[in-house]
Amino acid sequence: MLAVIDDSSGVRHACPPRAVIKTGTYPQPGRRGFRGLRAGLEWAPVSLSIGIVGLPNVGKSTLFNALTRANALASNYPFATIEPNVGIVGIPDSRLDALAGLYDSARIVPATVRFVDIAGLVRGASAGQGLGNQFLSHIRETDAICQVVRVFTDPDVSHVDGDVSPERDIETIATELMLADLQTLEKAAPRLAKESKFAKDPDKVRIADAAAKAQQVLDGGTTLFAGAAAAGIDVADLRELQLLTAKPFLYVFNEDDAELGDDELRKRLAALVAPAESVFLDAKTEAELAELEPEEAAEMLAELGLGEPGLAQLARAGFTALRLSTFLTAGPKEARAWTIPAGATAPEAAGVIHTDFQKGFIKAEVVSFDDLMAAGSIAAARAAGKARIEGKDYVMRDGDVVEFRFQTTSGNQK
């Protein structure tokens, strides 16, 4: 797991020596930091950004450190994090290692996620308590919001409200985000109504109507993520307002080792936030795993009875919440994961690589990752009838390994 870290000044800083040091460099085989990959690793453009929120001392910065290995300040007092911590992380994908081995790829380029960790929020954050308004502004442009909820009990780590209550903490954060959105709408709604009245533009009328309905949903104590659809609101109409509760929500329940094995507790907590995605982990354990080499981490996961690291769980939950999918390309130069909206067609997927690919799209040769690995080579997959030629109407599936054929502006085919 590798990361590039930015601070609030916009300056790119070197990470610890086991992380990517700067843009354009990557660990080499045989060196610490290579993390068991057989090829160099570089970056795909960031396609997913997640804002991390929560009360103070719930483990946000510990989780951020585990995800990015960035050594963000994690302390036992409120507002240990003042400026936002920002980390860009490659998403673990074992399929890329396998493809790199099959194609003898010189480098691996994983899909990425950008995490933004803001200071802990408290009651009254929407009104500025604890610099809350300033903190919330840092996550308005993220794609999704992840709330870290404290479940673990530790007498040495204080809780801002005195005792541990996941239900109360979830409600506190939801309330503050809803109040912040209401403040935004109270300022914007009159302007939008005025514009729709005089402009007589159908789009402006629709946006103004959506804003008015959004106010009603929030006034009723429901987030837009949970209540927009039932109220007949298309959240895309509210995009320009950057409303916090209109974003997809994820919940990370930060437990201790004993609690991770409590299935009844897991069911009860998941039900609290359904239909939002839930992830259960121990942030301290994740931080320890992040410092280990792959073989050692796998042993530790097995000893604890855990199937996979928290980053993989969180990334998958983020992809599910945002309805994203991944397709793969491979060759001697690189094995690479590309992120697309679920339901994207083959030409739309080609456009993610380059707009010329979409404009000149002719066809795509597609084979599922599992079929390709079972065959042992693309030639063998073709011989077995597992590689297909698909046209413009083909809907991409997660794990498709693709080679696009397209016509350049000069008329040449590639």
Side-chain angles (χ1 to χ4, degrees):
M1 172 168 42
L2 308 170
V4 176
I5 307 301
D6 294 292
D7 69 8
S8 58
S9 67
V11 177
R12 301 176 78 85
H13 289 285
C15 298
R18 293 173 63 193
V20 167
I21 302 303
K22 56 186 178 181
T23 303
T25 68
Y26 48 90
Q28 298 297 317
R31 298 179 59 182
R32 291 182 67 84
F34 190 64
R35 303 293 289 166
L37 298 177
R38 66 172 307 283
L41 188 150
E42 293 188 357
W43 296 106
V46 177
S47 53
L48 169 63
S49 61
I50 298 176
I52 303 176
V53 302
L55 295 174
N57 298 341
V58 299
K60 290 190 308 84
S61 293
T62 301
L63 175 63
F64 179 86
N65 289 341
L67 295 174
T68 65
R69 308 164 83 195
N71 293 329
L73 180 62
S75 302
N76 180 24
Y77 55 89
F79 316 125
T81 307
I82 300 299
E83 297 296 340
N85 297 310
V86 180
I88 300 173
V89 179
I91 299 173
D93 191 336
S94 60
R95 297 173 302 185
L96 291 176
D97 296 276
L99 286 175
L102 195 64
Y103 285 86
D104 196 25
S105 305
R107 63 183 182 183
I108 289 175
V109 186
T112 56
V113 58
R114 178 176 182 263
F115 290 105
V116 181
D117 170 33
I118 68 170
L121 302 175
V122 295
R123 293 182 188 276
S126 58
Q129 181 69 28
L131 301 179
N133 275 330
Q134 175 184 330
F135 298 158
L136 290 173
S137 69
H138 295 144
I139 59 170
R140 290 194 179 278
E141 295 183 2
T142 60
D143 299 314
I145 290 179
C146 169
Q147 180 180 348
V148 179
V149 182
R150 177 174 173 176
V151 183
F152 71 89
T153 54
D154 184 341
D156 295 327
V157 180
S158 63
H159 191 290
V160 69
D161 287 330
D163 62 330
V164 176
S165 172
E167 295 90 340
R168 182 196 59 222
D169 293 356
I170 291 168
E171 182 180 354
T172 295
I173 297 299
T175 297
E176 294 306 321
L177 297 181
M178 286 189 288
L179 289 173
D181 281 351
L182 280 170
Q183 288 181 8
T184 299
L185 286 166
E186 285 168 1
K187 295 176 182 177
R191 171 182 60 81
L192 293 172
K194 184 176 180 180
E195 290 177 355
S196 67
K197 180 179 180 180
F198 293 103
K200 300 188 184 301
D201 182 331
D203 290 339
K204 292 185 179 297
V205 172
R206 189 180 65 254
I207 292 171
D209 180 61
K213 289 180 178 177
Q215 282 184 293
Q216 294 176 356
V217 171
L218 294 168
D219 279 332
T222 302
T223 65
L224 293 172
F225 171 69
I233 301 171
D234 183 350
V235 292
D237 292 333
L238 301 170
R239 186 173 292 119
E240 69 176 75
L241 301 178
Q242 295 184 322
L243 298 176
L244 296 167
T245 69
K247 302 177 186 295
F249 275 67
L250 314 171
Y251 291 86
V252 170
F253 291 98
N254 189 9
E255 304 178 315
D256 59 29
D257 289 345
E259 291 162 337
L260 284 174
D262 189 334
D263 290 337
E264 289 303 315
L265 176 62
R266 177 173 296 205
K267 290 177 182 178
R268 180 172 65 81
L269 294 174
L272 284 176
V273 299
E277 295 289 318
S278 302
V279 175
F280 298 86
L281 52 77
D282 176 0
K284 280 190 174 181
T285 298
E286 295 297 326
E288 293 174 13
L289 287 168
E291 293 302 319
L292 299 177
E293 293 302 312
E295 297 79 8
E296 296 170 332
E299 290 179 8
M300 183 174 175
L301 285 168
E303 290 174 0
L304 295 173
L306 304 177
E308 60 183 348
L311 171 60
Q313 298 179 51
L314 185 53
R316 187 171 60 251
F319 269 57
T320 299
L322 290 166
R323 291 181 292 180
L324 298 175
S325 181
T326 303
F327 74 91
L328 310 167
T329 57
K333 290 185 177 180
E334 66 179 27
R336 184 165 184 158
W338 303 85
T339 303
I340 54 175
T345 62
E348 290 168 339
V352 172
I353 298 176
H354 196 288
T355 54
D356 285 351
F357 283 30
Q358 182 171 5
K359 292 175 183 176
F361 178 89
I362 299 174
K363 57 187 176 182
E365 182 177 41
V366 182
V367 59
S368 75
F369 170 80
D370 289 339
D371 286 342
L372 176 59
M373 298 311 298
S377 69
I378 186 62
R382 288 168 182 155
K386 298 297 184 179
R388 314 178 308 276
I389 300 299
E390 301 287 358
K392 294 182 178 180
D393 296 330
Y394 176 69
V395 176
M396 300 291 292
R397 301 172 185 171
D398 189 78
D400 278 345
V401 182
V402 189
E403 181 179 345
F404 294 104
R405 310 287 171 81
F406 66 100
Q407 185 170 345
T408 64
T409 53
S410 63
N412 296 324
Q413 291 188 11
K414 291 190 175 183

